[in-house]
Amino acid sequence: MARKCTPRYSWSRVDGMRIRGGRPLSGSVQVSGAKNAALPILCATLLTEGECLLGNVPALHDIDTTAELLRILGRAVDCRPPRVRVGPSTAALVEAPYDLVKKMRASVLVLGPLLARFGRARVSLPGGCQIGARPVDQHLKGLETLGARISLDKGYILAEAERLRGAEVVFDMPTVTGTENLMMAAALAHGQSALINCAREPEVVELARVLNKMGARVSGAGTAVVQVEGVRELGPFDHSIISDRIEAGTYMVAAAATGGEVRIERVPVEHLEAFISKLRAAGVAVEPDGAAACVSRSGQVRSVDVTTAPYPGFPTDMQAQFMVLMCLAGGTARMSETVFENRFMHVPELGRMGAAIEVSGHSAYVRGVGRLQGADVMATDLRASASLVIAGLVAAQGETLVRRVYHLDRGYEHMEQKLRALGADIERVAGLKA
Ligand code: UD1
């Protein structure tokens, strides 16, 4: 019997996070499963008739949304993170409605699997979001190259094909979900596909691992060229998700920014090399210890310039959090954003907390001010929210209220409990005005 996940927020009630900062974090924290790996893997269950089992799935709102979407698509989903069971498919339902897709752009990841398995998909266009236009043209162009007929109808993408045919797909830029959608579609296509200029993120590699467990023939994931030899059908899988590198990085910055000492368990150090090297350049000690890492800072933070880039570069998903650390530094740091065009929404909010940051084009110039003050601030997207929470933990003077933390619930499992266990004075307040 499928059990429904309980939604952790409703749009009519807005929670906030109240933080009294100035305490160095100390102790240990365990990193949860990677959201961005779990989402495509949940969508990959659409490629098979069989029952699939996932472990180490984080309890997040985006997981609930994906479970809901799979139910609408005819799957029985028993969603009890860290375990999720996706039952056999009961019907060939192929429509992903606007109500769900608008909540979570990654819903577009059902397009490739539905089209490949059922020959048809009708998926709402995701639309814009806070951090930029984020089009899906590369997904559509790639599927067309595999032989799909694509049309747009009243805000929906309609994709059809009797059976997809393997082909060479060249992406204009590395796109994470685009690469994942095409890998899933090509897995059931007739013949060989070569996907060129692919995203190389660890989550892409993780999806390839799962597809291969299902019987797919995917090679080269983690490089710019992924080869997929299509097969007739795919089987079920049982898989435990990798740790979330962005959650791990967020706690690393929180430890460093508060001048604390934190042991981070289950940290995928090998997925964070560019980020950790910038952290070290900023004067933060990062000492790997098996599957854990100890992060501490005792001296002054040093300014370091950062440019975000697709993996293995510095992750755009760590830019906002790292900026808080740069606010505490001795000089001025240039932080350039090359992945998304509008990802400095946290800058004015950090300004309310005493930060001195100027944005010019794709760069933010962060003049270190040594300390921040508590303030009433508004979260605008997932990673911006995390940066405001870290800023609140740093601010020794006054109290910080971060509004609209539903963004955080999309991507950080039990964040306030984890931070409280590290000695933070943080509590959730319900029922705030949006
Ligand atoms: C994924 C991650 C997100 C991360 C981002 C970049 C998931 C669920 N989300 O998002 O957390 O911030 O990678 O690391 O894994 N683009 C196009 N056309 C397309 C597709 C992408 O122009 O068809 C552009 C985007 O606007 C952006 C760039 O390509 O400028 C990279 O975006 P992409 O890698 O696709 O991001 P997502 O997969 O949406």
Side-chain angles (χ1 to χ4, degrees):
M1 177 69 184
R3 178 181 171 273
K4 289 213 163 195
C5 294
T6 312
R8 265 167 276 281
Y9 74 82
S10 77
W11 292 97
S12 57
R13 199 197 72 196
V14 180
D15 288 359
M17 225 49 112
R18 180 176 290 130
I19 307 161
R20 295 173 197 91
R23 300 177 174 204
L25 297 183
S26 78
S28 82
V29 63
Q30 186 166 307
V31 178
S32 300
K35 168 179 86 76
N36 287 353
L39 299 180
I41 291 171
L42 280 165
C43 295
T45 63
L46 292 167
L47 288 164
T48 175
E49 260 181 53
E51 175 179 288
C52 301
L53 296 168
L54 287 82
N56 202 30
V57 177
L60 299 173
H61 195 266
D62 276 7
I63 298 294
D64 298 345
T65 304
T66 311
E68 202 47 47
L69 183 54
L70 293 177
R71 285 187 196 105
I72 285 174
L73 295 170
R75 308 302 296 253
V77 185
D78 184 11
C79 180
R80 299 179 215 212
R83 293 296 284 171
V84 176
R85 188 179 65 85
V86 182
S89 42
T90 47
L93 303 171
V94 294
E95 177 160 327
Y98 177 61
D99 276 357
L100 282 177
V101 178
K102 75 168 188 234
K103 280 192 200 169
M104 190 189 67
R105 293 181 42 83
S107 308
V108 77
L109 283 166
V110 300
L111 182 60
L114 288 176
L115 175 64
R117 173 133 176 261
F118 301 111
R120 192 166 187 275
R122 193 165 183 270
V123 176
S124 173
L125 267 170
C129 74
Q130 296 283 12
I131 62 174
R134 297 182 84 172
V136 290
D137 58 304
Q138 299 299 307
H139 304 231
L140 304 188
K141 194 183 81 171
L143 293 172
E144 273 178 337
T145 309
L146 298 189
R149 296 178 297 283
I150 309 259
S151 54
L152 298 181
D153 173 40
K154 302 189 190 85
Y156 278 74
I157 304 160
L158 181 61
E160 290 172 298
E162 281 67 55
R163 187 173 178 205
L164 295 172
R165 290 184 314 273
E168 181 176 289
V169 172
V170 184
F171 293 108
D172 292 348
M173 76 286 289
T175 150
V176 176
T177 47
T179 302
E180 292 166 346
N181 236 339
L182 264 292
M183 270 178 5
M184 291 190 280
L188 282 180
H190 175 72
Q192 177 85 25
S193 295
L195 311 179
I196 294 168
N197 197 21
C198 287
R200 293 182 281 162
E201 269 68 0
E203 295 77 19
V204 170
V205 178
E206 178 79 342
L207 174 64
R209 206 172 284 134
V210 170
L211 290 172
N212 287 338
K213 276 189 177 179
M214 298 173 80
R217 296 193 189 130
V218 180
S219 58
T223 73
V225 179
V226 176
Q227 304 280 351
V228 186
E229 195 186 324
V231 296
R232 265 269 164 217
E233 56 178 31
L234 293 169
F237 63 86
D238 183 345
H239 186 79
S240 181
I241 308 283
I242 50 168
S243 293
D244 195 312
R245 63 194 166 102
I246 305 299
E247 189 200 14
T250 301
Y251 288 112
M252 286 178 160
V253 173
T258 59
E261 184 168 352
V262 173
R263 182 178 167 86
I264 302 175
E265 305 283 351
R266 296 203 194 167
V267 55
V269 172
E270 68 282 13
H271 297 158
L272 282 164
E273 279 177 8
F275 165 73
I276 289 175
S277 94
K278 290 293 179 183
L279 210 51
R280 287 184 172 137
V284 179
V286 181
E287 286 155 30
D289 176 15
C294 294
V295 179
S296 61
R297 177 180 65 85
S298 45
Q300 166 81 50
V301 179
R302 290 193 290 270
S303 298
V304 272
D305 294 343
V306 161
T307 301
T308 66
Y311 192 84
F314 188 98
T316 173
D317 283 354
M318 283 307 306
Q319 177 255 107
Q321 302 90 313
F322 198 82
M323 191 176 283
V324 177
L325 190 62
M326 292 301 98
C327 288
L328 309 176
T332 296
R334 191 191 72 239
M335 298 195 62
S336 301
E337 174 59 60
T338 71
V339 181
F340 291 112
E341 71 271 27
N342 187 22
R343 212 170 191 183
F344 289 133
M345 308 274 286
H346 43 286
V347 167
E349 300 301 307
L350 290 174
R352 293 172 56 75
M353 301 181 74
I357 307 168
E358 269 182 38
V359 175
S360 171
H362 293 301
S363 296
Y365 295 85
V366 188
R367 183 166 58 78
V369 288
R371 58 194 178 146
L372 296 170
Q373 308 151 16
D376 208 336
V377 289
M378 186 89 83
T380 48
D381 69 59
L382 173 54
R383 307 306 170 184
S385 313
S387 78
L388 296 175
V389 168
I390 297 172
L393 295 172
V394 167
Q397 242 186 343
E399 193 176 272
T400 297
L401 182 63
V402 182
R403 292 171 185 270
R404 297 194 183 175
V405 292
Y406 50 77
H407 294 292
L408 276 180
D409 296 334
R410 291 189 42 213
Y412 289 93
E413 184 176 56
H414 308 319
M415 188 183 222
E416 71 268 33
Q417 285 98 312
K418 288 188 183 185
L419 287 172
R420 260 205 303 273
L422 294 173
D425 185 347
I426 179 168
E427 64 184 340
R428 185 175 283 254
V429 279
L432 295 173
K433 272 194 205 161

